[in-house]
Amino acid sequence: MAPNTAPIKWAQRSDSVYVTIALPDVKDETINLSDEKLVFKGTSQDKEYQVDIEFLKAVDAKGSTYKVLPRSVQMVVMKAAKEDGGDDEEFWPRLLKNKALEKNQVKIDWDRYVDEDEEEEAGGFDMSALEGGMGMGGMPGMGGMGGMPGMEGMGGMGGMPGMGGMGGMPGMEGMGGM
């Protein structure tokens, strides 16, 4: 049986592309990234998946990185520097060279999406998931949340008035004290 096509999400910055292969618990993965294409094979939930895509433009395979996480495989693929030595990288209109393949296989990663003219405010990708630690860490300086201010005197909510002990309900005799 032919392997399934793995779902792909992507977002970009002027210097890099963030690719997510949205498969949980990937095992036996093979990831080959060249300057023109990405080939992925792996198993998720006892099904084989693969991706074989050709990027719209050249990338820098050596400067790129990936990590297999519990819910996905995440990659930061660096865009190749322009041959004329130009410093200004550009946003790509799409991820793949093949438009038809892109319509069926690739979705925009709206969680990481930044509009081209808002990139400077948003900064780069959140790389924390790719830097080793799996924990979320928490926000520095938050300490304990404590209680909600002004609510100290509220006490318990009680129960629903007029319900009593719920005695006398038919069919509940053998239930004991729940």
Coordinates of all heavy atoms in Angstrom, one line a residue, residues 8 45 51 57 65 80 107 126 138 163 165:
I8 N 1.2 19.3 5.7 CA 2.2 20.3 5.9 C 1.6 21.7 6.2 O 0.7 22.0 5.5 CB 3.1 20.4 4.7 CG1 3.7 19.1 4.3 CG2 4.2 21.4 4.8 CD1 4.4 19.1 2.9
Q45 N 1.0 6.6 14.2 CA -0.1 5.8 14.5 C -0.3 4.7 13.6 O -1.3 4.4 13.0 CB -1.4 6.7 14.5 CG -1.3 7.9 15.5 CD -2.4 8.8 15.4 OE1 -3.1 9.0 14.4 NE2 -2.7 9.5 16.5
V51 N 6.5 12.8 2.5 CA 6.5 14.1 1.9 C 7.6 14.2 0.9 O 8.7 13.8 1.2 CB 6.6 15.3 2.9 CG1 6.9 16.6 2.3 CG2 5.4 15.3 3.8
K57 N 12.1 28.2 -4.3 CA 13.4 28.8 -4.5 C 14.4 28.0 -3.6 O 14.0 27.2 -2.8 CB 13.5 30.3 -4.1 CG 12.5 31.1 -4.9 CD 12.6 32.6 -4.6 CE 11.7 33.4 -5.4 NZ 11.8 34.8 -5.2
T65 N 17.5 23.5 10.5 CA 17.4 22.6 11.6 C 16.0 22.0 11.7 O 15.0 22.6 11.2 CB 17.8 23.3 12.9 OG1 17.8 22.3 14.0 CG2 16.8 24.4 13.2
A80 N 18.2 30.4 1.0 CA 19.5 30.6 0.4 C 19.8 32.1 0.2 O 18.9 32.9 -0.2 CB 19.7 29.9 -0.9
K107 N -0.8 23.9 3.9 CA -1.6 25.0 4.4 C -0.7 26.0 5.1 O 0.4 25.7 5.5 CB -2.5 24.3 5.5 CG -3.5 23.4 4.9 CD -4.5 22.9 6.0 CE -5.6 22.1 5.3 NZ -5.9 20.9 5.9
D126 N 9.5 31.7 17.0 CA 9.7 31.2 18.4 C 10.5 29.9 18.3 O 9.9 28.9 17.9 CB 8.4 31.1 19.1 CG 8.6 30.5 20.5 OD1 9.7 30.4 21.0 OD2 7.6 30.1 21.1
G138 N 7.3 28.9 31.8 CA 6.5 29.8 32.5 C 7.0 31.2 32.3 O 8.0 31.5 31.7
M163 N -32.5 22.2 47.9 CA -32.3 20.9 47.5 C -32.3 19.9 48.6 O -32.5 18.7 48.4 CB -31.0 20.7 46.6 CG -31.1 21.5 45.3 SD -32.4 20.9 44.2 CE -31.6 19.4 43.6
G165 N -31.3 17.2 51.3 CA -30.4 16.1 51.1 C -30.7 15.2 49.9 O -30.2 14.1 49.8

